[in-house]
Amino acid sequence: MPQSTNQLVVIAKKMTVPAAIAAAFTIGAALFVGHGSVHAASAIDDNSVAALTSLDRAMEAVAARVTPAVVNVAVTARGTGEAETSEGPMQGLPPGLQQFFGPMQQQPSQPQIEHGVGSGIVISPDGYIVTNAHVVDGAMQIKVTLNDRRILKAKLIGVDKLTDLAVLKVDATNLPSIAWGDSTKLEPGQTVLAFGSPFGYFQFSVTRGIVSAINRPNPYSDDPRKPGNFIQTDAAINPGNSGGALVNAHGELIGINTFIITNNGSFAGAGFAIPSQIVRATAEQLIQHGKVDHGYLGISMNDVTPDNAHFFNLPDSTGAIVAQVTPDSPASRGGVQTGDVISQLNGEKIVNGSALQVSVSEMAPGTKIMLGVIRDGKPVTLNLTVGQFHGNTEVASDDGKDGPRSGKLGLAVSDLTPDTRQQINLPDQVHGIVVQSVRPASPADEAGIQPGDVIVEVNRRPAQSASQFASEVHQNREGKDLLLLVWSKGNASYRTIHPDSDEPKG
């Protein structure tokens, strides 16, 4: 620091004390002299803030109605021996989701005992409570704290891991419960409130926000068959809110808070809830039967997008493209074919694969359905009988991936051999060519294609050999999209590739 600057600082310090004393004396004298004329500022009149006070009263009414039905769920579970930071194991959750759950403390005793905290909501006066399946996963003991501070032991009635929902029962009557809302009527921008126990300690908290988006796809990496249709909200949700209520402006339950997307473990503006359309159907089956029988078609799907619609001669970008049909499944027996575009279910329009997946999953096995299908640009009607989902079989799934926009492929392929089939565990009914290598940062890499994947079709035609595939790619007109049907890790999906004229071919 220059000497002149030092001098300025010293001077300023020397002047500070006397200046402060003088200022204090002046202010004190002014207050003393004018004491009799000092007036506090007046509050803003009601008419000027009528809109705000009206909104406050509305939110207070909703909170007062819902809060008594919210519970805190404390779980004692047998540990897995692995480090966890949630109410339960979180294998398969997408990045950023693992830290969503309540605090866990591991005990040194063997076997390890873990304690987790989540939230729940009373859905009937006789003590049925809905929460997330991951909250109670592995539970040896469950205790519920009611809004009136009573702590009751809870019995686990049933768990449905596919939807991540569970139902508990406490021995109590005349409990405050919540009314069901219709999540299918939600629109982005609507006001919602989130209830729960953030961080496990701040019980019976409420936050306010809006519906940020609806029909968000399934983000879980452990099982692509899990239904999506999540509600996205900016109402603050934090660790410990898992299993809590998301309600609309009428105080109706329209979702169960289940995860957040975050880089630091706390709320970052993107919370997600399971819609009541799924919650109610699942809870009712768990209460009645202790389990859920999910409907099953035996297909995997892609959404129709503006990029792939013209390959299927479609008038718009709605519907679900059938990418794979499981042999001897309800879909195969009903005549569904790879490349079909499902546009209607029982006369109702199908917007995307997620909507079809949720609808079918809610159906009872044995239900007769009618699918409206567009096949090679022509409408076809198919009659099917919904099957029953089993954990070790395929179900109507929607991976929602069409591949990033890309140029020429940047991959090497070879013909399938018996040895290759055995190495990649390829089913006998899958035919095509195998991907040997993928150039880093190439269009194929950006589209998610990996070594060991099998290209089944190119531009809706079978990929019969490596040479035939190379010919198809080279003959593709500059600037025209390519559509690949790719079998990867037990599931097939369509990938749209956008050629780039300045990229090498092949």
Side-chain angles (χ1 to χ4, degrees):
M1 182 181 292
Q3 185 177 2
S4 58
T5 305
N6 285 330
Q7 291 174 343
L8 288 173
V9 171
V10 171
I11 293 172
K13 287 181 179 179
K14 288 181 178 179
M15 294 178 64
T16 299
V17 174
I21 294 173
F25 177 81
T26 303
I27 294 172
L31 288 175
F32 178 80
V33 172
H35 177 70
S37 60
V38 173
H39 299 285
S42 60
I44 301 174
D45 64 274
D46 289 342
N47 291 333
S48 299
V49 292
L52 289 177
T53 56
S54 177
L55 178 61
D56 285 346
R57 287 193 294 269
M59 295 299 100
E60 290 166 8
V62 175
R65 175 64 184 85
V66 175
T67 299
V70 179
V71 303
N72 177 271
V73 180
V75 176
T76 301
R78 180 174 285 106
T80 62
E82 300 176 357
E84 297 177 347
T85 57
S86 79
E87 296 103 320
M90 302 174 299
Q91 292 81 357
L93 291 183
L97 269 64
Q98 288 90 339
Q99 300 180 60
F100 172 53
F101 314 111
M104 302 288 291
Q105 300 88 32
Q106 292 187 354
Q107 304 295 328
S109 57
Q110 296 295 331
Q112 288 182 327
I113 301 299
E114 298 172 342
H115 300 280
V117 180
S119 304
I121 187 77
V122 179
I123 57 173
S124 68
D126 55 347
Y128 285 102
I129 297 166
V130 67
T131 186
N132 282 135
H134 68 255
V135 171
V136 297
D137 194 15
M140 297 186 298
Q141 183 184 69
I142 305 172
K143 290 185 178 181
V144 168
T145 302
L146 304 179
N147 184 251
D148 61 10
R149 309 300 172 179
R150 281 185 293 166
I151 300 177
L152 304 176
K153 287 186 177 181
K155 177 183 178 182
L156 182 60
I157 298 299
V159 171
D160 183 44
K161 290 190 175 182
L162 197 68
T163 57
D164 192 20
L165 292 167
V167 172
L168 312 176
K169 178 71 166 64
V170 295
D171 187 10
T173 57
N174 299 321
L175 294 179
S177 61
I178 193 169
W180 289 104
D182 187 351
S183 59
T184 64
K185 295 181 179 179
L186 287 178
E187 296 291 343
Q190 291 181 0
T191 296
V192 289
L193 278 73
F195 293 79
S197 303
F199 303 102
Y201 302 109
F202 305 105
Q203 299 178 6
F204 313 114
S205 295
V206 57
T207 57
R208 187 180 75 190
I210 63 169
V211 174
S212 303
I214 56 175
N215 300 326
R216 287 303 195 197
N218 164 34
Y220 292 88
S221 60
D222 62 331
D223 192 344
R225 296 166 296 190
K226 292 180 177 179
N229 266 25
F230 289 104
I231 303 164
Q232 181 182 338
T233 179
D234 68 346
I237 300 172
N238 280 291
N241 276 106
S242 191
L246 188 71
V247 307
N248 59 18
H250 297 281
E252 298 170 323
L253 183 66
I254 49 89
I256 294 294
N257 305 319
T258 189
F259 68 88
I260 60 177
I261 300 294
T262 176
N263 290 323
N264 58 17
S266 295
F267 181 68
F272 296 83
I274 304 168
S276 62
Q277 174 191 7
I278 296 175
V279 178
R280 185 171 188 175
T282 301
E284 288 175 350
Q285 286 201 55
L286 289 174
I287 292 172
Q288 293 174 10
H289 310 293
K291 63 185 182 69
V292 179
D293 292 324
H294 289 286
Y296 158 72
L297 289 184
I299 60 176
S300 61
M301 297 172 289
N302 288 110
D303 291 341
V304 177
T305 68
D307 298 322
N308 61 32
H310 68 279
F311 284 103
F312 301 90
N313 299 315
L314 301 177
D316 56 32
S317 301
T318 61
I321 307 169
V322 178
Q324 180 173 306
V325 181
T326 302
D328 196 31
S329 66
S332 66
R333 291 190 292 269
V336 179
Q337 299 178 10
T338 300
D340 284 349
V341 178
I342 300 174
S343 58
Q344 291 186 342
L345 172 62
N346 293 334
E348 297 293 329
K349 186 175 182 179
I350 292 298
V351 178
N352 53 35
S354 179
L356 176 63
Q357 182 184 7
V358 170
S359 296
V360 171
S361 180
E362 292 177 348
M363 293 179 176
T367 302
K368 305 290 184 181
I369 64 171
M370 182 177 67
L371 293 181
V373 169
I374 298 176
R375 181 177 294 168
D376 298 325
K378 299 178 181 179
V380 177
T381 300
L382 301 175
N383 295 304
L384 286 76
T385 301
V386 175
Q388 182 173 352
F389 166 74
H390 297 286
N392 58 353
T393 59
E394 296 297 328
V395 72
S397 64
D398 179 23
D399 60 10
K401 297 175 183 175
D402 187 48
R405 287 65 178 132
S406 51
K408 288 299 178 179
L409 309 188
L411 51 73
V413 298
S414 65
D415 293 335
L416 279 171
T417 65
D419 288 341
T420 303
R421 279 186 173 275
Q422 186 175 7
Q423 290 172 6
I424 63 176
N425 196 26
L426 186 67
D428 293 339
Q429 69 270 16
V430 178
H431 301 279
I433 54 176
V434 65
V435 176
Q436 293 291 338
S437 63
V438 178
R439 187 174 69 244
S442 68
D445 186 29
E446 293 175 358
I449 298 175
Q450 302 176 5
D453 289 350
V454 174
I455 298 175
V456 179
E457 292 181 1
V458 53
N459 285 348
R460 305 294 310 284
R461 290 184 289 273
Q464 299 174 339
S465 67
S467 59
Q468 176 257 346
F469 172 75
S471 178
E472 288 275 359
V473 173
H474 281 276
Q475 290 176 13
N476 191 64
R477 184 164 49 88
E478 291 293 343
K480 187 176 180 180
D481 295 344
L482 284 166
L483 183 73
L484 302 183
L485 178 59
V486 179
W487 182 93
S488 178
K489 298 178 181 178
N491 195 36
S493 62
Y494 284 101
R495 315 289 179 93
T496 303
I497 297 183
H498 303 267
D500 191 346
S501 58
D502 60 3
E503 287 283 345
K505 296 189 176 189

